[in-house]
């Protein structure tokens, strides 16, 4: 049973935006309560501008220095970044946080992003999907371009790293050409945790093949159950252990959740836990930490997380790469 | 206002600026994977009241030859924007400047990222604009290779126009040669209004762009005359853009090696020089000269005639000039260059180093300096504990921060 909290900093329209200190204080409370990870949004999927003074990857870097155990997930879009740059940013974040980072790869094309990133015409759905798939594949390979034990630090012999353990990528694809390797070391999790939220049916192969965590709307419960089954089945079909794809049910918290119905949803759908979406306003966070969390802990829905040192450990995901 | 004081930046680079820094017995060899090391360096710099920390960057390896690369510490390190965002949370006053490329980013994306760093730090962020001169970087962003110098600068000019427009809330749509942007920036301004603009171009295109857009200019100069010529040239270009000489701070790099006596300092320098393998020195020199095969020429012979570079034109000229001036062989030049990549090196006591800095500062060749410790943490500690107090005693450097934002430290106007 895993628990994520999504902090929707991008959509606090009309409210006073949270300060770094307020966000850090909140995340520390989640950490104490045993929440596995907190996910930071970066834009509204509906195309409205973000209302936060912070961008997600930079905010997460700062939060990493205020926390010790909780996983930290940043959203970053494949339209706003280049794969090489994004792979570096997240590998670096993973090193800064000692292995607590996840990348929430947004799978839907946001027209606002296309319009501001020199792509006024955007991509067709099909092209966008193929491009996202290629992008994610490149990033995952760049993350393991440096073999384990590649860094020798041998001052006397004058060998800083083992040249045979540094692998270029030499990717030439439909949308990208990337030689690699990354100029950031292999990170503590080998690969930061890859999260995909709200995949459409057409993205299920990508999600079941590459994602570590998939976030699916918790309602209607019947649809959730079908998605969980489908994702796990497709993972098994390509030789992945189904339990290495964690499916969390996304619940938008408007009032206090009814623990009984959460328990029932967990059992009926076969999902691996919950992702609670919170608006980024101080009173909302206060009520979550003061009222909701204690209840969830009492019912055993929260409080079992953070099983090890890294986010992969918390989620029971095993290692993030080979070589 | 009190007498003019110099600005000082800490230029971070891997285990140190000397190519063999990582082999120094006391160098922190795991710097590239140790965030606590960087937090400690940042706190040292902040305790010394330095204006800023500066991170270089390249979007790719620094050296293509894997054998050479594996003998240096420069193939891995933190990505600087994430690094500085973490440091922003662990410091209070010092400025945080990161390099980022105009060739491999989009202006809306960098505008957001730096605005966020600026907000996280309470107005202490700066951006060092580079056009990225290395074909290694180009190969990570497409199959067409490094674009010519002039094309890179055309894109950089447009990039600078768009990003400053976004930060200063001027843009209502941009549809240009390289970029199109529809909306205003969705991140509010920090207490300093907009991140500080830094530039280090030294070609004609580079200096013009700096004169038009930069608040701070980094440079590389060996001699007083070179530094002065660059200073006068750049300040002379400002009027054409309606700017005052004081609107831009020129901060040449300096790589000091300081000890209680000159002989001790010289011994420290010599010991570091001993750690440079010849092939590594020659390869580093080749990469700045933008030629691939300097190793083909006799190492004890003179530098061959070289075609003009499409990479860093200015640094190539600087190196060639030095080789001619001092009659250096390839080996000698490579060794010298490996110490600080063509930047000014001073070996001496705190008084001697302060004398030299003072002479350039008061002689109208610099507004401050970008300090490049040979290895970390030792040479930074030495600069902070020996040279900074000497400069403070002479009234040449602040004893405490006057303000909270990087613009305030540097005495820069808020952007309009
Ligand atoms: C102190 C200093 C730091 C620099 N840092 C970087 C850097 O981090 N990344 C980079 O690609 N170029 C860097 N450069 C190179 C400059 O951006 C510039 O390309 C170079 O000085 C040549 O000038 P030009 O581009 O006008 O030919 C640096 C230069 C100096 C003097």
């Amino acid at each position: 049973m895993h628990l994520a909290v999504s902090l929707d900093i991008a959509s606090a329209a009309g409210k006073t935006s949270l300060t770094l200190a307020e966000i850090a204080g909140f995340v520390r409370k989640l950490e104490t309560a045993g929440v596995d990870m907190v996910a930071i949004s970066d834009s509204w999927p509906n195309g409205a501008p973000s209302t936060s003074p912070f961008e997600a990857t930079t905010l997460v870097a700062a939060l990493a220095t205020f926390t010790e155990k909780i996983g930290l997930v940043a959203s970053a879009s494949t339209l706003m970044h280049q794969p090489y740059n994004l792979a570096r940013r997240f590998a670096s974040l993973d090193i800064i946080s000692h292995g607590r980072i996840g990348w929430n790869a947004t799978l839907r094309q946001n027209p606002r992003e296309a319009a501001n990133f020199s792509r006024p015409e955007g991509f067709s759905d099909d092209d966008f999907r193929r491009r996202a798939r290629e992008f994610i594949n490149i990033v995952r390979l760049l993350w393991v371009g440096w073999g384990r034990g590649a860094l020798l630090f041998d001052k006397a012999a004058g060998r800083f790293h083992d040249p045979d353990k540094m692998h270029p990528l030499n990717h030439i694809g439909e949308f990208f050409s990337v030689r690699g390797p990354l100029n950031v070391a292999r990170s503590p999790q080998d690969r930061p945790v890859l999260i995909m939220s709200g995949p459409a049916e057409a993205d299920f192969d990508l999600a079941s093949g590459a994602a570590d965590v998939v976030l699916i709307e918790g309602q209607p419960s019947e649809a959730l159950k079908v998605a969980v089954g489908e994702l796990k089945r497709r993972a098994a079909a390509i030789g992945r252990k189904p339990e290495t794809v964690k499916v969390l049910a996304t619940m938008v918290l408007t009032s206090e959740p009814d623990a009984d119905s959460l328990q029932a949803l967990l059992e009926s759908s076969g999902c691996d836990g919950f992702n609670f979406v919170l608006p980024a306003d101080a009173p909302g966070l206060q009520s979550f930490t003061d009222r909701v969390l204690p209840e969830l802990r009492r019912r055993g829905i929260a409080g079992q997380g953070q099983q090890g040192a890294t986010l992969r450990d918390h989620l029971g995901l095993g290692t993030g790469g080979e070589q | 206002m009190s007498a003019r004081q110099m600005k000082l930046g800490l230029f971070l680079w891997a285990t140190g600026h000397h190519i063999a820094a990582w082999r120094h017995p006391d160098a922190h060899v795991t710097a590239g994977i140790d965030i606590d090391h960087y937090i400690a360096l940042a706190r040292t710099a902040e305790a010394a009241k330095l204006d800023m920390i500066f991170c270089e960057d390249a979007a790719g390896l620094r050296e293509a030859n894997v054998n050479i690369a594996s003998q240096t510490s420069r193939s891995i390190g933190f990505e600087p924007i994430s690094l500085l965002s973490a440091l922003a949370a662990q410091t209070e006053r010092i400025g945080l400047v990161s390099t980022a490329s105009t060739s491999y980013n989009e202006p809306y994306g960098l505008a957001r990222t730096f605005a966020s760093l600026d907000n996280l730090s309470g107005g202490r962020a700066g951006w060092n604009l580079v056009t990225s001169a290395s074909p290694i970087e180009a190969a990570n962003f497409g199959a067409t290779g490094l674009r010519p110098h002039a094309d890179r600068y055309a894109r950089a000019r447009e990039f600078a126009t768009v990003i400053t427009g976004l930060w200063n809330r001027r843009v209502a749509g941009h549809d240009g040669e390289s970029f199109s942007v529809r909306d205003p920036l969705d991140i509010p301004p920090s207490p300093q209004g907009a991140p500080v603009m830094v530039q280090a171009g030294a070609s004609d295109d580079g200096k013009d762009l700096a004169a038009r857009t930069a608040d701070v200019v980094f440079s590389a100069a060996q001699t007083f005359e070179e530094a002065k010529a660059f200073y006068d040239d750049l300040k002379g270009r400002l009027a054409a853009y309606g700017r005052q000489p004081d609107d831009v701070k020129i901060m040449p790099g300096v790589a000091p090696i300081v000890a209680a006596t000159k002989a001790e300092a010289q011994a420290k320098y010599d010991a570091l020089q001993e750690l440079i393998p010849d092939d590594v020195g020659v390869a580093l020199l080749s990469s700045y000269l933008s030629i691939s095969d300097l190793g083909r020429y006799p190492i004890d012979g003179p530098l061959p005639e070289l075609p003009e570079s499409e990479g860093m034109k200015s640094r190539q000229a600087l190196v060639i000039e030095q080789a001619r001036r001092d009659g250096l062989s390839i080996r000698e030049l490579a060794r010298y260059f490996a110490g600080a990549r063509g930047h000014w090196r001073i070996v001496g006591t705190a008084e001697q180093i302060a004398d030299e800095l003072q002479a350039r500062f008061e002689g109208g060749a610099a507004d401050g300096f970008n300090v490049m410790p040979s290895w970390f943490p030792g040479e930074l500690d030495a600069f902070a504990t020996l040279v900074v107090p000497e400069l403070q005693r002479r009234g040449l450097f602040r004893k405490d921060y006057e303000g909270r934002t990087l613009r305030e430290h540097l005495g820069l106007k808020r952007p309009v």
Side-chain angles (χ1 to χ4, degrees):
Chain A
M1 162 68 216
H2 298 290
L3 196 55
V5 168
S6 287
L7 195 55
D8 198 358
I9 59 164
S11 61
K15 299 165 189 146
T16 318
S17 47
L18 295 170
T19 64
L20 174 59
E22 284 171 325
I23 298 174
F26 174 68
V27 172
R28 272 200 298 257
K29 283 185 188 162
L30 297 180
E31 179 169 58
T32 311
V35 170
D36 291 298
M37 62 187 192
V38 59
I40 307 290
S41 68
D42 198 49
S43 61
W44 286 25
N46 66 5
S50 169
T51 56
S52 169
F54 310 119
E55 175 275 346
T57 61
T58 44
L59 174 58
V60 157
L63 292 175
T65 70
F66 294 124
T67 52
E68 280 170 9
K69 297 206 77 178
I70 193 166
L72 300 164
V73 176
S75 293
S77 116
T78 54
L79 257 177
M80 297 212 271
H81 297 266
Q82 284 284 323
Y84 192 86
N85 294 340
L86 183 136
R88 287 183 75 201
R89 176 76 50 81
F90 279 86
S92 184
L93 288 170
D94 204 37
I95 297 171
I96 289 170
S97 66
H98 303 284
R100 296 185 286 128
I101 291 299
W103 170 35
N104 185 358
T106 43
L107 289 180
R108 253 167 268 155
Q109 180 168 203
N110 180 337
R112 188 187 145 79
E113 293 172 7
N116 291 321
F117 283 76
S118 308
R119 296 272 188 190
E121 69 294 355
F123 293 94
S124 72
D125 282 352
D126 225 44
D127 284 357
F128 182 80
R129 191 161 273 126
R130 283 204 317 288
R131 185 177 172 281
R133 177 184 297 265
E134 188 180 330
F135 189 118
I136 288 168
N137 190 35
I138 292 167
V139 169
R140 296 184 73 235
L141 289 168
L142 284 171
W143 279 337
V144 292
W146 287 84
R148 290 217 184 95
L151 302 183
L152 303 172
F153 305 126
D154 188 342
K155 290 184 181 186
R159 279 290 160 202
F160 187 82
H161 67 258
D162 178 350
D164 296 334
K165 289 190 175 160
M166 186 192 83
H167 310 287
L169 178 62
N170 292 320
H171 171 89
I172 297 174
E174 183 183 357
F175 296 94
F176 303 102
S177 276
V178 181
R179 185 184 292 162
L182 230 48
N183 55 1
V184 177
R186 192 184 184 102
S187 78
Q189 297 188 95
D190 298 313
R191 290 183 172 117
V193 171
L194 180 60
I195 292 126
M196 296 187 189
S197 49
E201 170 75 30
D203 297 315
F204 270 29
D205 276 338
L206 175 60
S208 58
D212 299 300
V213 177
V214 185
L215 307 176
I216 302 278
E217 286 301 323
Q219 297 296 337
S221 59
E222 206 34 52
L224 171 66
K225 180 177 175 181
V226 170
V228 173
E230 194 55 25
L231 286 163
K232 305 249 174 186
R233 186 187 64 73
R234 292 195 200 193
I238 57 160
R240 279 185 83 183
K241 292 195 190 111
E243 66 272 21
T244 62
V245 186
K246 303 292 179 191
V247 184
L248 304 186
T250 292
M251 316 290 290
V252 179
L253 279 192
T254 42
S255 56
E256 275 173 54
D258 166 4
D260 287 332
S261 58
L262 287 178
Q263 195 66 44
L265 186 62
L266 199 57
E267 281 155 23
S268 73
S269 69
C271 73
D272 298 288
F274 297 102
N275 166 44
F276 292 118
V277 181
L278 301 186
D281 65 280
L285 302 190
Q286 179 91 27
S287 110
F288 185 77
T289 50
D290 292 1
R291 309 229 302 277
V292 180
L293 266 183
E295 173 65 8
L296 294 176
R297 295 190 79 161
R298 206 176 57 75
R299 300 290 298 247
I301 293 174
Q304 305 156 354
Q306 303 171 358
Q307 296 303 311
T310 69
L311 178 53
R312 279 186 187 280
D313 293 340
H314 300 345
L315 296 170
L317 286 172
T319 85
E322 46 299 311
Q323 289 174 8
Chain B
M1 214 189 100
S2 58
R4 176 172 166 260
Q5 291 190 322
M6 62 176 70
K7 310 299 170 193
L8 291 175
L10 167 62
F11 186 169
L12 292 177
W13 196 336
T15 48
H17 283 269
H18 194 282
I19 189 76
W22 72 275
R23 299 185 66 193
H24 188 283
D26 298 327
H28 194 75
V29 71
T30 59
I33 53 171
D34 183 357
I35 184 67
D36 293 334
H37 168 70
Y38 280 99
I39 293 173
L41 297 185
R43 292 195 171 144
T44 300
E46 190 167 64
K49 316 299 177 194
L50 299 197
D51 291 83
M52 61 195 170
I53 292 168
F54 163 58
C55 288
E56 55 78 37
D57 192 40
L61 299 181
R62 289 278 178 185
E63 170 59 59
N65 178 316
V66 292
N67 177 48
I68 300 286
S70 72
Q71 299 179 66
T72 79
S73 65
R74 290 181 181 171
S75 297
I76 59 111
F78 288 94
E79 180 276 331
I81 291 171
S82 44
L83 174 63
L84 290 182
S85 301
L87 297 182
Q90 296 298 318
T91 53
E92 288 177 358
R93 304 295 274 273
I94 196 159
L96 304 163
V97 177
S98 175
T99 300
S101 172
T102 54
S103 294
Y104 310 120
N105 284 289
E106 285 280 322
Y108 201 88
L110 272 198
R112 295 187 85 229
T113 314
F114 277 95
S116 179
L117 177 62
D118 212 15
N119 281 320
L120 286 169
S121 61
R124 296 185 282 134
W127 169 43
N128 176 37
L129 177 161
V130 299
T131 68
S132 301
S134 160
I136 306 177
E137 299 174 85
N140 291 324
F141 300 88
T144 51
L146 182 65
R147 303 205 318 183
H149 193 274
D151 290 7
R152 296 202 310 271
Y153 270 100
R155 184 179 158 107
R157 279 191 291 274
E158 188 182 337
F159 199 117
T161 303
V162 177
I163 203 168
T164 49
L166 287 166
W167 282 335
N168 301 328
R169 323 278 132 183
R170 277 197 304 269
V171 158
H174 170 89
D175 188 5
E177 193 70 32
S178 300
F179 307 110
S180 67
V181 171
R182 189 190 65 192
D183 300 311
L185 189 63
D186 59 353
I187 294 194
S190 82
Q192 68 170 348
V196 169
M197 294 274 281
V198 182
Q199 237 259 78
S203 62
D204 250 348
D205 276 344
K207 284 187 283 201
D208 263 329
L209 181 58
R212 194 157 70 85
T213 62
D215 300 305
V216 173
V217 174
F218 293 154
S219 63
Q222 296 276 346
T223 63
F224 178 86
E225 289 70 30
E226 276 167 8
K228 174 85 180 140
F230 180 89
Y231 188 94
D232 291 342
D233 178 356
L234 206 114
K235 297 254 171 171
R237 290 175 196 243
L238 295 174
Y241 300 100
R243 305 180 75 195
Q244 304 296 317
D246 217 30
D247 291 349
V248 178
K249 308 297 171 193
I250 299 180
M251 300 174 66
V254 59
I257 296 213
V258 59
T261 65
K262 167 99 186 168
E264 237 178 278
Q266 187 63 42
K268 287 208 294 184
Y269 177 61
D270 293 344
L272 267 174
Q273 291 296 90
E274 279 309 306
L275 297 174
I276 310 169
D278 278 337
D279 54 350
V280 172
V282 171
L284 182 72
L285 183 59
S286 306
S287 77
Y288 276 87
L289 293 173
S290 305
I291 75 160
S292 52
D293 54 355
L294 199 55
R296 198 155 59 82
Y297 298 91
I299 192 164
D300 290 313
L303 204 58
E305 285 299 321
L306 299 170
E308 200 191 348
S309 157
E310 273 304 318
M312 294 191 199
K313 291 179 188 291
S314 53
R315 202 74 66 88
Q316 184 192 38
L318 196 101
V319 171
I320 294 172
E321 161 60 23
Q322 194 200 352
R324 303 263 150 76
R325 187 177 61 230
D326 300 344
L328 300 179
S329 68
I330 292 179
R331 188 198 309 269
E332 289 164 335
L333 185 63
R335 282 215 158 190
Y336 185 83
F337 192 74
R341 302 184 310 286
H343 286 272
W344 183 31
R345 136 113 36 240
I346 326 175
V347 179
T349 63
E351 292 72 29
Q352 287 165 335
I353 288 171
D355 286 348
E356 299 254 12
L357 297 180
Q358 182 167 8
R360 288 202 187 184
F361 175 65
E362 292 179 345
D367 296 313
F369 301 94
N370 206 7
V371 179
M372 305 166 54
S374 295
W375 60 274
F376 291 110
E379 285 298 333
L380 170 62
D381 293 339
F383 186 83
T385 54
L386 299 173
V387 181
V388 168
E390 180 59 29
L391 294 170
Q392 288 169 331
R393 244 188 314 278
R394 299 181 187 192
L396 289 167
F397 189 62
R398 70 167 67 83
K399 291 199 166 115
D400 201 358
Y401 290 109
E402 308 84 13
R404 294 239 152 227
T405 70
L406 179 53
R407 280 184 191 280
E408 286 166 355
H409 302 342
L410 294 170
L412 293 167
K413 298 188 189 107
R414 276 174 71 95
V416 282

